[in-house]
Amino acid sequence: MEEAGVGWIAAIIIGGIAGWLAEMFMKSDTGILMNIILGVVGAIIANAILGLFGVTLGGWLGYLVAGFIGACILIAVGRLIRR
């Protein structure tokens, strides 16, 4: 997160927004705490996956996009496991 220029408080705020956007997009029903967790963990996972392809997203907007992508992936994986 520090590499992207985003501090911990900003990561929580951006992660919450990214998790909320993913919740709306994937039509899941999670709470605010789970949205924050999905956004932050999703951003870490998405940055790792995108890094394998040589894509780097930096700054607040990049962290938001990565958080959204990662949160959608986590929601989809969670749905697969529950079935």
Side-chain angles (χ1 to χ4, degrees):
M1 282 176 274
E2 291 299 326
E3 294 173 4
V6 178
W8 283 102
I9 294 174
I12 291 170
I13 294 169
I14 297 169
I17 294 169
W20 177 74
L21 290 171
E23 174 189 24
M24 295 294 127
F25 182 75
M26 299 290 288
K27 295 176 180 43
S28 67
D29 187 26
T30 60
I32 189 165
L33 182 61
M34 193 61 178
N35 285 343
I36 293 170
I37 293 169
L38 283 171
V40 172
V41 174
I44 294 168
I45 291 172
N47 278 326
I49 292 171
L50 292 173
L52 294 174
F53 297 106
V55 178
T56 57
L57 300 174
W60 290 53
L61 185 60
Y63 191 80
L64 180 65
V65 170
F68 173 75
I69 292 169
C72 287
I73 291 170
L74 289 174
I75 291 171
V77 168
R79 286 180 180 170
L80 288 174
I81 291 172
R82 275 190 256 150
R83 290 183 186 187

